Amino acid sequence: MPLMNNEPTLRILALEPYYGGSHKAFLDAWSANSRHEFTVLSLPPFKWKWRMRHAAITFAGEAAAAFALGEMWDAIFCSDMLNLAEFLGMVPPPVRSLPAVVYFHENQATYPIREDAPELDFQPAITNFSTALAARKVWFNSAYHRDSFLKGIADIFKKMPDYRPTDETRAVKAKISIHPPGIDPPVQRPPRQPGSPLRILWAARWEHDKNPEDFFAAVRILKDKGIDFRLSVIGEQFRDSPEIFAAAEQEFKDNIDRWGYRETRNEYLEALTDSDVVVSTAIHEFFGISVVEAAAAGAFPLLPPRLAYPEIFSDKEFFYDGSVENLALKLAELAEKDIIPYEKSMEIAGKYLWQNLAPVMDDAIYRATGR
């Protein structure tokens, strides 16, 4: 039974070594919608490997200082970027004894590692595992993510010459539950004008694992067929972003409405509500929050049948077969419609509103304390 709002609140010590992007959005939104009280220790989102290596030391010192001044907590919440076992080993005993919950936004066990890489390259994944082992509860943002982590860590342990942690792996499995991230309520979307160009959104980090090549290949087919469309290609960019983005900006310059990172939340939401369809071509992703947000705003999702998408959007109408040709075909079909049906996808996405998910997480972390 869910706890009522008049139940006692928890004082949660939240530790976020990489306070940016989805990590920041998740923690800010949950704490804002939660009945619990959060004390947040955070570090800027910079050099993630170094954050994993030193955050436990940094946070242990800060937590010990706060405890010495009279701060007290009922539970610890951290992300996968923290070495929780190290942290617990360096804090005062009353802090060490607190029940801890770890949230896996991503994991380091499923990224490809060269066969000739030194064993040190496996350490971030082992840190993920030891953090899960040290926590009382382990939360993943999707079942797909849980399964890929367990397979990835098992594959790494097979490389060990001996002392493989079989019992410990079973212990971690028993602690796992799924808690997807939430979204804010969508803003009002303007109606599509009949006969207007299809407005296509691609919203993801500008990296190879988001597979931009397939997306631009599909819209190239539309252009070659003379189909009218507008493009919004947005997302975080990096110094070594794939070269295809610069080439595509020139190739589709006459079709572009928005290009690049949106500096403000309002600009981002405007891109969502101004789109008829949101496309994903990702080959590596653990949830897909931008797709859920776009669907909630009324954009029709076109998704490959992989990753976490099938567990979020179960209806086959939202999927193409994963090929460039079929994606282009589906887009062309939508371009012919004066009215694109979006009620069903909005209803699905509405299940992920923070107002619905925050109480579930509140109850789950409360139960983790054993109260």
Side-chain angles (χ1 to χ4, degrees):
M1 294 265 316
L3 298 171
M4 302 302 291
N5 286 336
N6 60 357
E7 290 287 341
T9 61
L10 297 178
R11 296 162 297 179
I12 299 173
L13 174 61
L15 308 170
E16 180 47 74
Y18 202 82
Y19 189 59
S22 60
H23 290 226
K24 181 179 186 300
F26 178 94
L27 188 53
D28 288 354
W30 182 26
S31 59
N33 288 275
S34 175
R35 72 170 183 267
H36 301 312
E37 300 172 3
F38 285 72
T39 298
V40 177
L41 301 183
S42 66
L43 293 167
F46 182 69
K47 298 289 185 181
W48 69 267
K49 285 186 178 181
W50 280 108
R51 289 293 185 249
M52 288 192 78
R53 289 169 179 147
H54 81 84
I57 301 171
T58 304
F59 286 157
E62 293 178 359
F67 179 77
L69 293 174
E71 289 275 355
M72 298 182 67
W73 306 283
D74 303 305
I76 295 170
F77 179 82
C78 69
S79 78
D80 54 275
M81 283 289 171
L82 181 71
N83 188 327
L84 177 62
E86 282 189 1
F87 172 82
L88 295 176
M90 293 183 286
V91 292
V95 180
R96 185 182 310 144
S97 64
L98 294 176
V101 173
V102 57
Y103 192 88
F104 276 78
H105 295 273
E106 64 279 302
N107 76 84
Q108 306 308 316
T110 57
Y111 286 91
I113 300 174
R114 299 192 324 270
E115 288 297 325
D116 61 345
E119 288 194 18
L120 182 61
D121 285 350
F122 294 104
Q123 193 55 49
I126 302 300
T127 296
N128 280 166
F129 183 77
S130 63
T131 290
L133 197 58
R136 181 170 292 186
K137 294 294 181 181
V138 180
W139 295 0
F140 280 85
N141 53 6
S142 69
Y144 163 78
H145 187 187
R146 172 201 62 200
D147 296 343
S148 64
F149 169 75
L150 291 173
K151 181 182 184 305
I153 203 71
D155 289 343
I156 289 174
F157 289 157
K158 288 177 184 176
K159 301 178 186 294
M160 294 176 62
D162 52 15
Y163 294 99
R164 295 173 183 172
T166 304
D167 291 341
E168 291 82 356
T169 300
R170 283 195 288 266
V172 167
K173 287 181 181 179
K175 304 177 186 182
I176 294 175
S177 57
I178 309 302
H179 290 280
I183 61 173
D184 294 325
V187 297
Q188 186 69 36
R189 98 180 257 104
R192 186 188 184 206
Q193 298 301 315
S196 61
L198 183 69
R199 299 170 297 178
I200 305 171
L201 172 68
W202 191 89
R205 294 192 318 274
W206 289 21
E207 294 186 305
H208 288 291
D209 65 350
K210 303 309 176 186
N211 194 18
E213 292 81 4
D214 276 12
F215 174 72
F216 292 121
V219 295
R220 184 176 299 115
I221 293 174
L222 298 186
K223 187 173 183 179
D224 290 344
K225 289 183 176 181
I227 296 173
D228 198 8
F229 64 89
R230 306 299 301 171
L231 283 182
S232 289
V233 178
I234 63 176
E236 189 175 3
Q237 302 166 54
F238 303 91
R239 185 177 301 175
D240 57 349
S241 292
E243 295 179 359
I244 192 171
F245 286 100
E249 185 177 14
Q250 291 301 311
E251 181 179 0
F252 301 106
K253 61 183 179 181
D254 295 333
N255 303 89
I256 293 172
D257 285 336
R258 297 173 183 82
W259 194 264
Y261 182 68
R262 302 293 90 186
E263 294 293 339
T264 68
R265 180 70 178 174
N266 284 340
E267 288 178 313
Y268 172 73
L269 294 176
E270 184 181 73
L272 303 189
T273 57
D274 196 36
S275 299
D276 300 313
V277 56
V278 56
V279 174
S280 173
T281 47
I283 55 177
H284 185 82
E285 190 164 72
F286 293 121
F287 184 74
I289 191 70
S290 62
V291 170
V292 175
E293 288 180 320
F300 187 91
L302 271 184
L303 311 167
R306 55 179 176 253
L307 310 176
Y309 297 132
E311 68 184 91
I312 300 172
F313 298 94
S314 55
D315 289 21
K316 63 180 182 180
E317 65 181 303
F318 301 129
F319 294 88
Y320 62 97
D321 68 6
S323 70
V324 168
E325 294 76 15
N326 193 242
L327 173 56
L329 176 63
K330 296 282 189 179
L331 287 170
E333 291 173 351
L334 289 173
E336 294 177 356
K337 297 179 180 290
D338 285 334
I339 299 176
I340 298 176
Y342 56 81
E343 292 83 3
K344 189 180 296 184
S345 59
M346 287 185 70
E347 181 181 353
I348 292 172
K351 298 176 182 177
Y352 295 91
L353 292 174
W354 270 114
Q355 65 193 47
N356 298 325
L357 296 188
V360 176
M361 294 182 189
D362 285 351
D363 292 353
I365 198 168
Y366 189 94
R367 289 193 299 270
T369 66
R371 299 187 176 202

